Structures are given as structure tokens and as C-alpha cells.
């Protein structure tokens, strides 16, 4: 019983403001641990004592489309980012000059070029020149890192309102190594492993941890099934910003105006038997195929964060509270297992346990690493990627951490 009450106390601190504020207002708080009453977070009255929280008040994304052959194959990267940035300010009636910074997660484009494209997109969206823009690259977690950077800056008092965003056009910037490789890399195995193709790291995970082809194909089917169901029920409708763009006929050069508002990689009728017919892509007699890997995609997204006190003053809805963040390195030869170590670190830093968490979003770069992480953490499948993940919806590298449908190392804590 004592342990249960202690667990309640930890959870109640997450429903309260920051730890310091919690302690100072503990005697006046309406929240208390009880041997028989756990309460409902929606029932607790929130007052100004919550003002130090960093909260999410809006989140929008484009549809995610297949690179080189999908709806955004002829769309410039800055024309992907601009609509979601514009949606953030228009749908919240936010004065864009109040934004302290826009941080954009992005991976494949040259750094200085992509930074300029992001600044251009901010201007297209209506932000004044006084609002700065920068990019950040933590590979597949870049979008999540952008949100974390903004949350940390707000918490530190650098500004009260910020936008974490993500942008990737894998049509424009395919995955490739530019220039020569330092010969010194041959002297160290770990350094060599940094150069491994991602598909080989997937094969390494499957081989080292015994993830079968059947398990991988089944995971892919489930991803498509859940994503298709979420689309059919309209769960993505409010978060997707329609993008007016064009499709160019590669044979004639004719341009056709289109508006893209639906993810184009989801296959509702995918089956294990169909996926079983696909050949391995990266290794002879391997288990990683095009069907149980994430899709190469184009897209963008943006998340608006601010202090809770500011959100309350503006009358904006509080979609969530940014509680904690953790990044943990792993062996590059099995890079996809990162969530299996980062999630426990994040949960621990929040003073919680895995069982306290209601929803998990784990990046589905490859089914092998997704299945391994689920099994390693002993997570309830009903709590993971409930609306599908990157194998179905797509994986534009810098955007995945922004889209809560397929974000890397992301856990949902109590609001």
C-alpha cells in the first residue's frame, strides 16, 4: 500500500507544476495521494500555480508522401514547411512576432542551404524578420530534438513561446554520402559501423536478437491496419494541413495543380502472405524487405510550445505538457534499438515507471528494431503506435519526431 501511495504522489507531481512550485504550493493544492482515491486528471482545477509548465498548444503536419513518386515529388522543401508554420499562427490567432525562436529538425539537406530554406518558409508563412530560425540534426530524432530544444529554452526563460518543427524532402535530398571518407575509419570498428547502411543495421538487430521474418511482416501489417483505421475514422484530419502544390508529368512536363491532404503510403489491404513474397533488400537470406521497412517520404510538421501561464492567458487549449527528454547512444551497428534504452531513461527522469505511461510512440524505421524494442521493454502492444507508424505513414527523417504518430523515443505523460 505504501508503494502505491508513493506512486500516486509521483504521478500527482506530474499533474502539478514543476517540482519547486509543487512543493511551495503543496499545502494549498487540491491534489493529494490517497489509499483509495486516484482521481481523474481532467477533473482537477488548474490555477496559476501551473504557470511554469512548458505546454504544447498546437501541432500540425502536412500529409506524408512517397518520395520521388508521391504527392510532393515536385514540391520545394520550403513550400512544405511554410503551410504548417502558417497554420500554427492562423489556427491559434497567435501574433507571430511573439515567437522567440523556430527550431527545425532536418537531416539530409546541406546545413546552410536548409537553414536558408527554413528562413524563407518562415517569411512565406508571415513571420517577421525579428523571429530567428535555426536547424538541428539528430538523424531520425531531429524533429523531437527541435521540440526538446524549444522546451528547454522556454524552461530556461530565454523566451515564452517557441516552435519546434521538422522538414524533409527525400525527393530533393536522397540519402547519400558526399565527399571522401577518412581512411582512419579502418582503424576502429565502431567508427566503421557508423558507415553501415541502415538496412544492414536492421539485419544486425534481427540476427542478434532473434527477430523473425514472420514477426517483422506481422508488425508491418499491423502498422498499415492501424494507420488505415485512423485515416478512415478521421483521426488525422485535424492535424494535417492541406498543401496546394503541383504534380509534373515526367514524360510531357505538363503541370497539374493539386491539393494534398492525405498520407499516400498507407496500404489498408496489406497482408502477411503478400509481404512474405517480397525478397530481402539488404542481405541475401536476410529478413528486411521493402514491406517491413519505413517508407522514404516527404513532409513537414510544426509544434507550438509556450509557458502554461501564457497559454491560459491566451485561452489556448493545452494538448500536453513537455515533462522530460532523454537521448542515449547505442552501438551504431544496431542503431535502431535506441528507443529501448532512451525510453526507460526518459521515464526514470520523470520519476515514473513504464506501467505509468498510457501511450508510446516508437519509430518504425524497420520492423526488426520496432519488434525488438517492444519485446525488450515488455510493452503492451495496445499502447504502442496506436494510429500506425512509419512503415505505413512514412518516415521523412527530420519530421518523424514532430509527428506524434511516428515519433522517435516518445512517451505520453499525464497532462
Amino acid at each position: 500500500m505504501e508503494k502505491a501511495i508513493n506512486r500516486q504522489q509521483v504521478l500527482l507531481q506530474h499533474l502539478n507544476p514543476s517540482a519547486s512550485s509543487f512543493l511551495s504550493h503543496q499545502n494549498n493544492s487540491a491534489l493529494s495521494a490517497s489509499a483509495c482515491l486516484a482521481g481523474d486528471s481532467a477533473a482537477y482545477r488548474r490555477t496559476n500555480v501551473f504557470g511554469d509548465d512548458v505546454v504544447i498548444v498546437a501541432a500540425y503536419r502536412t500529409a506524408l508522401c512517397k518520395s520521388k513518386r508521391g504527392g510532393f515529388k515536385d514540391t520545394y522543401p520550403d513550400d512544405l514547411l511554410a503551410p504548417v508554420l502558417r497554420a500554427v499562427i492562423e489556427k491559434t490567432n497567435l501574433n507571430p512576432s511573439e515567437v522567440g525562436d523556430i527550431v527545425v529538425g532536418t537531416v539530409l539537406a546541406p546545413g546552410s542551404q536548409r537553414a536558408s530554406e527554413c528562413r524563407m518558409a518562415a517569411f512565406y508563412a508571415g513571420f517577421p524578420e525579428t523571429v530567428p530560425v535555426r536547424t538541428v540534426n539528430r538523424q531520425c530524432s531531429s524533429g523531437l530534438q527541435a521540440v526538446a530544444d524549444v522546451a528547454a529554452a522556454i524552461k530556461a526563460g530565454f523566451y515564452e513561446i517557441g516552435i519546434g518543427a521538422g522538414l524533409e524532402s527525400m525527393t530533393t535530398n536522397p540519402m547519400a554520402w558526399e565527399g571522401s571518407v577518412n581512411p582512419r575509419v579502418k582503424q576502429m570498428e565502431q567508427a566503421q559501423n557508423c558507415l553501415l547502411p541502415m538496412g544492414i543495421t536492421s539485419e544486425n538487430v534481427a540476427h542478434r536478437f532473434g527477430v523473425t521474418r514472420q514477426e517483422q511482416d506481422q508488425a508491418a501489417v499491423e502498422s498499415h491496419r492501424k494507420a488505415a483505421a485512423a485515416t478512415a475514422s478521421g483521426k488525422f484530419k485535424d492535424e494535417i494541413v492541406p498543401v496546394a502544390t503541383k504534380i509534373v508529368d515526367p514524360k510531357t512536363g505538363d503541370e497539374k495543380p493539386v491539393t494534398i491532404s492525405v498520407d499516400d503510403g498507407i496500404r489498408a489491404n496489406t497482408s502477411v502472405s503478400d509481404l512474405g513474397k517480397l525478397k530481402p533488400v539488404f542481405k541475401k537470406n536476410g529478413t528486411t524487405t521493402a514491406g517491413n521497412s519505413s517508407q522514404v517520404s516527404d513532409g513537414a510538421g510544426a509544434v507550438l510550445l509556450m509557458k502554461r501561464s501564457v497559454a491560459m492567458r491566451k485561452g489556448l487549449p493545452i494538448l500536453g505538457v513537455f515533462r522530460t527528454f532523454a537521448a542515449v547512444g547505442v552501438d551504431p551497428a544496431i542503431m535502431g534499438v535506441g528507443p529501448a534504452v532512451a525510453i526507460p531513461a526518459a521515464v526514470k527522469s520523470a520519476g515514473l515507471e513504464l506501467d505509468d505511461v498510457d501511450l508510446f510512440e516508437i519509430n518504425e524505421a524497420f520492423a526488426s528494431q520496432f519488434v525488438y524494442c517492444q519485446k525488450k521493454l515488455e510493452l503492451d502492444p495496445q499502447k504502442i503506435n496506436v494510429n500506425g507508424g512509419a512503415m505505413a505513414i512514412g518516415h521523412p527523417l527530420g519530421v518523424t519526431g514532430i509527428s506524434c504518430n511516428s515519433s522517435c523515443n516518445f512517451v505520453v505523460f499525464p497532462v
Side-chain angles (χ1 to χ4, degrees):
M1 181 63 70
E2 181 180 355
K3 182 178 179 181
I5 293 178
N6 288 338
R7 297 303 309 141
Q8 285 186 37
Q9 192 65 68
V10 171
L11 289 171
L12 291 176
Q13 289 188 39
H14 284 278
L15 294 170
N16 271 297
S18 61
S20 60
S21 298
F22 174 79
L23 293 174
S24 63
H25 292 274
Q26 189 173 24
N27 293 332
N28 297 324
S29 174
L31 309 183
S32 61
S34 165
C36 59
L37 296 176
D40 178 355
S41 63
Y44 294 126
R45 181 184 178 190
R46 304 192 178 281
T47 64
N48 61 342
V49 301
F50 298 89
D52 286 341
D53 283 342
V54 177
V55 300
I56 296 171
V57 300
Y60 299 102
R61 67 176 178 93
T62 66
L64 304 186
C65 297
K66 303 172 186 175
S67 73
K68 299 188 181 300
R69 55 196 177 96
F72 293 138
K73 72 181 184 66
D74 300 305
T75 304
Y76 286 101
D78 38 320
D79 283 334
L80 287 174
L81 181 58
V84 294
L85 293 179
R86 186 183 305 114
V88 163
I89 57 178
E90 288 183 348
K91 293 179 180 291
T92 60
N93 292 317
L94 179 71
N95 182 342
S97 65
E98 294 183 87
V99 174
D101 201 2
I102 300 174
V103 181
V104 185
T106 187
V107 179
L108 298 177
S112 59
Q113 176 180 322
R114 181 48 48 86
S116 294
E117 290 171 330
C118 292
R119 191 87 201 280
M120 291 154 57
F123 288 137
Y124 300 154
F127 286 85
E129 64 184 26
T130 54
V131 177
V133 178
R134 70 173 173 89
T135 60
V136 62
N137 187 344
R138 195 187 281 278
Q139 300 297 319
C140 299
S141 291
S142 297
L144 180 58
Q145 185 66 58
V147 173
D149 285 1
V150 170
I154 293 174
K155 195 68 176 177
F158 297 157
Y159 47 81
E160 293 187 335
I161 301 173
I163 295 175
L167 170 64
E168 209 70 62
S169 173
M170 300 181 78
T171 296
T172 306
N173 307 108
M175 299 180 70
W177 183 279
E178 295 185 6
S180 60
V181 177
N182 187 345
R184 183 180 179 184
V185 73
K186 298 178 182 179
Q187 302 174 16
M188 182 179 294
E189 182 180 0
Q190 284 181 308
Q192 290 182 51
N193 288 341
C194 293
L195 302 177
L196 288 175
M198 294 297 95
I200 295 300
T201 70
S202 172
E203 292 288 1
N204 290 343
V205 171
H207 176 73
R208 187 178 301 188
F209 302 109
V211 182
T212 68
R213 170 71 182 268
Q214 175 75 17
E215 288 177 309
Q216 294 174 61
D217 288 349
Q218 184 62 51
V221 169
E222 285 300 300
S223 183
H224 283 278
R225 180 189 64 79
K226 290 186 286 188
T231 300
S233 64
K235 290 185 177 180
F236 298 150
K237 185 177 180 181
D238 290 339
E239 72 184 42
I240 294 180
V241 176
V243 177
T245 184
K246 64 183 179 182
I247 295 290
V248 180
D249 187 314
K251 295 182 179 179
T252 66
D254 293 341
E255 296 183 4
K256 177 184 177 181
V258 294
T259 298
I260 306 297
S261 60
V262 179
D263 304 313
D264 68 14
I266 301 170
R267 301 186 298 275
N269 297 321
T270 297
S271 67
V272 172
S273 61
D274 288 340
L275 293 183
K277 300 174 184 177
L278 300 176
K279 295 181 179 180
V281 177
F282 302 99
K283 181 180 178 181
K284 186 178 180 180
N285 299 322
T287 57
T288 300
T289 71
N292 58 35
S293 303
S294 60
Q295 299 184 40
V296 179
S297 312
D298 305 329
V303 175
L304 178 62
L305 301 96
M306 59 184 65
K307 291 179 64 174
R308 184 193 287 272
S309 57
V310 176
M312 294 175 67
R313 186 171 69 246
K314 292 180 176 293
L316 293 172
I318 295 173
L319 306 180
V321 180
F322 193 98
R323 289 299 186 196
T324 189
F325 171 82
V328 183
V330 298
D331 179 355
I334 51 171
M335 64 87 204
V337 305
V341 290
I343 286 176
V347 171
K348 182 178 180 180
S349 72
L352 299 173
E353 297 177 358
L354 288 175
D355 288 342
D356 297 325
V357 181
D358 295 324
L359 295 173
F360 294 84
E361 293 285 345
I362 298 179
N363 183 31
E364 296 176 355
F366 298 96
S368 61
Q369 51 84 208
F370 172 76
V371 172
Y372 166 76
C373 291
Q374 176 184 321
K375 293 167 68 175
K376 177 66 175 179
L377 298 176
E378 300 181 343
L379 300 179
D380 180 354
Q382 300 302 314
K383 290 184 175 183
I384 310 173
N385 296 6
V386 295
N387 293 323
M391 286 184 283
I393 301 172
H395 182 23
L397 306 184
V399 185
T400 294
I402 290 292
S403 171
C404 65
N405 306 296
S406 53
S407 58
C408 299
N409 309 348
F410 180 75
V411 296
V412 177
F413 295 125
V415 174

